[in-house]
Amino acid sequence: MSAQTSTMWARLDRMSRNRRAGVILCGLVAFAVSAAFTAVRVPVPSVHDEFSYLLAADTFANGRITNKPHLLWEHFESFHVIQQPSYHSKYQPGQGLILAFGQLIGGHPIVGSWLASALAASAVCWMLQGWVPRRWALLGGLLIALHGMIQVRWSLSYWGGSLPMVGGALMFGALPRTMRRPSVSTSVLMAVGAMILALTRPFEGLVVGICVTLALVSWMFTSRRPDWLSVIADLVIPCASVLWIGIATIAFYNLQVTGNPLRLPYQVHEDAYGYSPLFLFESPKPQP
């Protein structure tokens, strides 16, 4: 057993010497595993969330941001879908976009789930490379690629999970790299991760963003911080540029779907159908 373990570690060491190759390998393995499972049976949507995401995917794949409400929309109300002021999914557009992309390039939305799974495994490997030795990072990425529950629950369904993992991994992977040496590319990836979370899981993304921001602020005011010119040029400006573009895009999307750039489709749905509060400190709403 010890000889086999030594051989395994030796192979991991050889594969992990090239950081980029390790990241690509994890993505390819995850994509292959997802595709292999789906070759046996194409997943059939069965959860309310999946139908909502598929509505968004079909809308985007057909070149529309949202859909006009039906004249008799009261007879077609469905779970997790808003009917007014437009007909669309209540969820953020991230999962719908990746499913639509899979539908366009592969002919079926499940291809988007494969791609999200591959990106998640690669992103986790890249994240771990910033925290632990390369062979452990490669092992972590491969564990994500081969994890049974992740593959079954996320890669073989339409309700997402892999894409938010990408966003979180990019943010937490950029954090130690920025603390060691800020760079424009790392800052851009951090901001892209924040926008992926905003487009998929905004509440969880807010929590992650606060944690990362507090860590960066704490680092800036330590004795080993870089000069402020470097912080502004390599961290603040790239992050702010990407975030402003992302915020403007979300505001435009909200305007098209809800008629208000500051109002999420989720809020419209909660006002129309919500009763139980989302947070413990809130009171139940009047029953619709």
Side-chain angles (χ1 to χ4, degrees), residues 162-182:
S162 296
L163 207 56
M165 186 190 294
V166 174
L170 289 179
M171 292 193 72
F172 284 121
L175 180 61
R177 291 171 169 86
T178 300
M179 289 180 172
R180 286 194 291 267
R181 184 179 179 182

Side-chain angles (χ1 to χ4, degrees), residues 80-202:
H80 306 319
V81 171
I82 63 171
Q83 300 284 346
Q84 294 289 336
S86 66
Y87 173 52
H88 204 29
S89 168
K90 76 172 186 178
Y91 293 114
Q92 290 292 87
Q95 180 66 12
L97 286 171
I98 194 70
L99 293 177
F101 184 69
Q103 183 172 324
L104 289 174
I105 67 170
H108 198 283
I110 196 62
V111 178
S113 291
W114 303 351
L115 293 172
S117 174
L119 290 173
S122 293
V124 168
C125 179
W126 180 81
M127 174 191 71
L128 292 174
Q129 287 175 352
W131 294 95
V132 298
R134 296 181 185 181
R135 68 180 182 184
W136 287 106
L138 177 60
L139 180 61
L142 290 175
L143 286 175
I144 294 296
L146 299 171
H147 194 287
M149 285 302 296
I150 290 177
Q151 292 296 338
V152 172
R153 300 287 288 178
W154 291 350
S155 304
L156 303 181
S157 68
Y158 305 95
W159 62 357
S162 296
L163 207 56
M165 186 190 294
V166 174
L170 289 179
M171 292 193 72
F172 284 121
L175 180 61
R177 291 171 169 86
T178 300
M179 289 180 172
R180 286 194 291 267
R181 184 179 179 182
S183 68
V184 173
S185 59
T186 300
S187 300
V188 167
L189 287 175
M190 181 187 295
V192 168
M195 291 315 307
I196 291 175
L197 287 173
L199 289 170
T200 53
R201 298 289 191 275

